């Protein structure tokens, strides 16, 4: 018995090894989109787009709770339309959204990805398709005019967002927000819930998202401060996927030239914010 | 060597974040155990209404996800009943984990009590003990030995489930690990973190084994 158990164990191990080598090989060829396949995308006829659905107005669910919509979603639709393929949204948690690109779960991320040097090191980011700024949202009566005023207050952000990074920089730079007063949530909606429940005093967030929440709670909440330097958002692809990147860049240029982007911005943000982005 | 240095650098903060993981598990399992005794006794009592009520409690809290219960206590309860709005995240986590653990432990305790030979209860009653005295002095002491392994199991499950608290922005060992992963851009941090979880589990397994041995002197 023992002997058989041991040898079958070896076979299983060998099987796993062979399988994983096979998978790595597939991964390798898929990344470059070179050998054998002429398709630009992972799956012929489909553009798989990674999104964290739950970030209105950029990407969120309609009231029926299943239909994806939002600015990014419509941008994805426009791009796919010009590529002649269908959009398939892959809904992913923000935590880990980039590593799924490495494992070929989708062709690109169109999910309000801010262009930062560290992200550019590891991935391809297209030239900006829209711009955004970090803002501070607080209850009406709060006396906040700049990030310095956050000292001693309770602050919330969404984990791994540029607002989170910005808060960390500020705190490293001496802003007095204690560890136990700095809250990092999985979902942006939780930050706003906490603000309304009086459990935090300020939320640091992307302006496009803040605008959306102001809409339903504009009597209670207010944008207290907006960062001067706009934060460009790009479409994120795996390193080496140059063919698809070039196509997307060309299409986004077209969308800018024919006014589609301006119309989408008007629809979702209430104003044309495309000026000087590209 | 570089990796070893990295791991050693992370270790103090990982251990510090573990205080949430450990204290939350210990508090929830202890409160869950105390509440569980009463729910279990209710489940086997002669009073039909009480039996039903305890059955419903177990049905609800064992039948819905712990994560949902945590969200309910922290986000939904304050919206429904404003004066129940807690400011303390740790307290909210303790409440959610305790009510959940109580449901599981009630069933563990009920099974342990019912595994004691009915002759024991009959003998105790025939000696003139009341139902309460018989439970307290005869049945429950004998059931403790049988309780220890499944409660140890429950404890280890709770210890690992505590990673859910990151969703209410409480920084436990798991959350701190993923924070390090993203700021240091390496998944290496999962190694010391997993070791810490294993060390905690090992310590508590040892403790439960010791308790089991101590309580088996009667058999």
């Amino acid at each position: 018995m023992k002997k058989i158990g041991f040898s079958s164990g070896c076979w299983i191990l060998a099987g796993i090894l062979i399988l994983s080598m096979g998978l790595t090989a597939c991964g390798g060829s898929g990344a470059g989109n070179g050998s054998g396949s002429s398709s630009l995308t992972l799956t012929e006829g489909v553009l798989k787009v990674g999104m964290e659905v739950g970030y209105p107005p950029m990407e969120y669910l309609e009231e029926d709770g299943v239909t994806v919509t939002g600015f990014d979603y419509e941008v994805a639709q426009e791009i796919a339309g010009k590529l002649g393929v269908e959009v398939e949204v892959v809904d992913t948690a923000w935590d880990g959204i980039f590593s799924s690109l490495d494992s070929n779960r989708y062709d690109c991320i169109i999910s309000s990805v801010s262009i930062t040097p560290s992200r550019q090191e590891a991935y391809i980011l297209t030239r900006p398709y829209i711009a955004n700024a970090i803002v501070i949202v607080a209850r009406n009566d709060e006396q906040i005019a700049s990030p310095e005023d956050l000292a001693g207050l309770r602050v919330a952000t969404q984990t791994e967002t540029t607002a989170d990074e910005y808060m960390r920089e500020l705190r490293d730079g001496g802003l007095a927000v204690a560890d136990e007063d700095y809250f990092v949530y999985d979902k942006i909606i939780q930050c706003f819930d906490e603000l309304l429940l009086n459990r935090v005093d300020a939320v640091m967030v992307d302006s496009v998202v803040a605008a959306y929440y102001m809409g339903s709670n504009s009597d209670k909440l207010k944008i207290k401060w907006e960062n001067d330097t706009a934060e460009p958002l790009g479409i994120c692809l795996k390193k080496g996927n140059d063919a698809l990147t070039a196509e997307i860049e060309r299409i986004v240029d077209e969308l800018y030239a024919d006014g589609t982007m301006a119309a989408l911005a008007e629809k979702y943000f209430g104003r044309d914010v495309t000026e000087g982005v590209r | 060597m570089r990796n070893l240095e990295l791991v050693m650098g992370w270790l103090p903060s990982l251990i510090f974040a573990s205080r949430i993981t450990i204290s939350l598990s210990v508090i929830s399992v202890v409160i869950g155990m105390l509440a569980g005794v009463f729910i279990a006794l209710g489940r086997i009592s002669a009073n039909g209404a009480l039996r039903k009520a305890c059955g419903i409690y177990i049905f609800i809290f064992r039948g819905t996800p712990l994560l949902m219960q945590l969200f309910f206590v922290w986000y939904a309860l304050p919206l429904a009943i404003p004066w129940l709005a807690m400011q303390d995240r740790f307290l909210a986590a303790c409440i959610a984990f305790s009510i959940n653990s109580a449901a599981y432990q009630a069933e563990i305790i009920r099974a342990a009590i019912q595994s004691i030979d009915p002759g024991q209860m009959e003998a105790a009653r025939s000696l003139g003990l009341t139902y309460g005295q018989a439970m307290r002095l005869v049945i429950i002491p004998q059931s403790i030995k049988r309780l220890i392994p499944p409660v140890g199991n429950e404890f280890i499950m709770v210890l690992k489930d505590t990673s859910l608290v990151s969703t209410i922005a409480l920084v436990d060992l798991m959350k701190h690990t993923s924070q390090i992963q993203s700021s240091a851009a390496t998944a290496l941090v999962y190694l010391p973190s997993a070791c810490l979880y294993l060390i905690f589990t090992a310590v508590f397994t040892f403790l439960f084994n010791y308790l089991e041995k101590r309580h088996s002197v009667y058999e």
Side-chain angles (χ1 to χ4, degrees):
Chain A
M1 273 316 271
K2 230 176 186 160
K3 179 120 188 156
I4 294 167
F6 176 72
S7 67
S8 61
C10 284
W11 277 114
I12 293 169
L13 262 180
I16 292 171
L17 268 177
I18 292 168
L19 207 70
S20 58
M21 280 195 303
L23 283 176
T24 341
C26 287
S29 70
N33 278 309
S35 58
S37 162
S38 62
S39 172
L40 264 177
T41 54
L42 293 170
T43 313
E44 182 101 47
V46 181
L47 180 70
K48 289 190 180 169
V49 182
M51 282 185 195
E52 189 233 6
V53 181
Y55 204 63
M58 302 304 280
E59 43 271 321
Y60 61 106
L61 295 176
E62 277 178 17
E63 284 184 352
D64 64 2
V66 287
T67 316
V68 180
T69 185
F71 179 81
D72 283 339
Y73 180 70
E74 292 214 25
V75 170
Q77 288 268 317
E78 294 290 340
I79 292 172
K82 299 222 177 209
L83 283 171
V85 297
E86 293 288 318
V87 172
E88 183 188 324
V89 172
V90 182
D91 190 2
T92 314
W94 184 254
D95 215 355
I97 198 166
F98 293 105
S99 41
S100 292
L101 208 53
D102 293 323
S103 45
N104 288 326
R105 298 255 320 274
Y106 27 75
D107 295 295
C108 61
I109 306 171
I110 308 181
S111 192
S112 323
V113 178
S114 301
I115 301 172
T116 65
S118 63
R119 284 173 184 168
Q120 276 172 317
E121 240 167 64
Y123 302 96
I124 297 177
L125 278 155
T126 63
R127 285 184 294 129
Y129 65 98
I130 201 77
N132 185 26
I134 293 178
V135 297
I136 296 173
V137 179
R139 288 179 298 274
N140 272 333
D141 51 339
E142 215 72 57
Q143 298 296 317
I144 299 170
S146 73
E148 287 76 49
D149 295 336
L150 294 175
L153 298 178
R154 297 165 299 174
V155 183
T157 60
Q158 184 185 9
T159 186
E160 311 304 318
T161 55
T162 42
D164 180 17
E165 276 167 35
Y166 187 62
M167 258 318 279
R168 280 171 206 281
E169 276 169 31
L170 287 175
R171 292 173 70 222
D172 288 342
L175 180 68
V177 173
D179 273 345
E180 59 269 25
D181 284 337
Y182 182 55
F183 303 108
V184 181
Y185 289 89
D186 291 348
K187 295 237 157 222
I188 190 67
I189 175 78
Q190 293 169 336
C191 300
F192 284 91
D193 283 346
E194 298 287 72
L195 195 57
L196 289 169
L197 284 168
N198 222 336
R199 282 169 176 159
V200 300
D201 303 308
V203 173
M204 201 174 261
V205 64
D206 289 347
S207 57
V208 286
V209 177
Y212 180 86
Y213 282 97
M214 292 302 98
S216 51
N217 286 303
S218 53
D219 51 328
K220 301 184 200 91
L221 305 178
K222 214 176 148 192
I223 293 179
K224 298 284 187 176
W225 170 84
E226 182 162 347
N227 199 355
D228 298 333
T229 40
E231 194 181 80
L233 304 181
I235 296 167
C236 189
L237 295 97
K238 185 175 177 173
K239 269 253 187 293
N241 197 353
D242 298 323
L244 184 59
T245 308
E247 277 298 295
I248 289 178
E249 291 279 26
R250 183 183 60 76
I251 292 169
V252 175
D253 277 336
E254 276 179 40
L255 294 176
Y256 261 85
D258 66 11
T260 312
M261 275 294 186
L264 281 180
E266 194 77 52
K267 176 177 174 189
Y268 284 97
F269 312 131
R271 61 197 162 110
D272 181 5
V273 291
T274 58
E275 188 72 34
V277 170
R278 252 181 116 75
Chain B
M1 268 343 261
R2 167 100 186 96
N3 285 348
L4 188 67
E5 265 170 43
L6 275 176
V7 168
M8 294 316 278
W10 294 326
L11 218 46
S13 68
L14 285 173
I15 292 172
F16 185 67
S18 306
R19 80 198 186 284
I20 298 279
T21 302
I22 293 182
S23 54
L24 180 60
S25 331
V26 172
I27 291 170
S28 317
V29 170
V30 169
I31 295 177
M33 155 82 62
L34 295 175
V37 170
F38 289 102
I39 298 165
L41 289 175
R43 274 276 279 159
I44 54 177
S45 85
N47 183 331
L50 186 62
R51 221 165 42 227
K52 196 125 217 170
C54 292
I56 290 172
Y57 178 92
I58 293 169
F59 177 69
I60 292 175
F61 291 104
R62 209 174 51 157
T64 51
L66 176 55
L67 182 61
M68 195 183 274
Q69 292 163 20
L70 185 64
F71 276 4
F72 185 80
V73 170
W74 185 245
Y75 294 110
L77 217 50
L79 294 177
I81 315 166
W83 56 268
L84 272 181
M86 274 167 280
Q87 291 296 328
D88 191 330
R89 282 144 224 279
F90 186 72
L91 177 69
C94 282
I95 291 172
F97 276 73
S98 297
I99 55 180
N100 181 271
S101 188
Y104 279 96
Q105 293 196 64
E107 284 297 89
I108 292 174
I109 293 164
R110 182 182 64 84
I113 288 174
Q114 288 181 333
S115 75
I116 304 296
D117 193 296
Q120 295 283 324
M121 177 58 95
E122 286 159 14
R125 295 304 296 274
S126 72
L127 286 172
L129 271 67
T130 63
Y131 178 81
Q133 283 174 324
M135 269 293 173
R136 197 157 42 84
L137 301 171
V138 181
I139 309 295
I140 291 181
Q142 291 186 77
S143 67
I144 284 179
K145 184 197 165 262
R146 295 180 191 179
L147 272 182
I148 293 168
V151 169
N153 217 355
E154 165 72 7
F155 183 87
I156 289 169
M157 301 243 286
V158 171
L159 184 84
K160 291 177 295 180
D161 283 345
T162 52
S163 59
L164 295 174
V165 297
S166 74
T167 54
I168 59 168
L170 203 57
V171 182
D172 72 319
L173 177 54
M174 180 65 213
K175 178 68 182 174
H176 188 61
T177 306
S178 70
Q179 280 176 340
I180 292 181
Q181 189 211 352
S182 51
S183 61
T186 165
L188 180 70
V189 64
Y190 285 108
L191 200 66
S193 180
C195 288
L196 280 178
Y197 273 110
L198 285 173
I199 290 170
F200 302 147
T201 329
V203 168
F204 284 102
T205 306
F206 177 81
L207 187 76
F208 279 102
N209 285 345
Y210 169 78
L211 284 175
E212 194 182 349
K213 237 182 224 131
R214 258 195 57 163
H215 279 276
S216 56
V217 290
Y218 302 112
E219 286 184 18

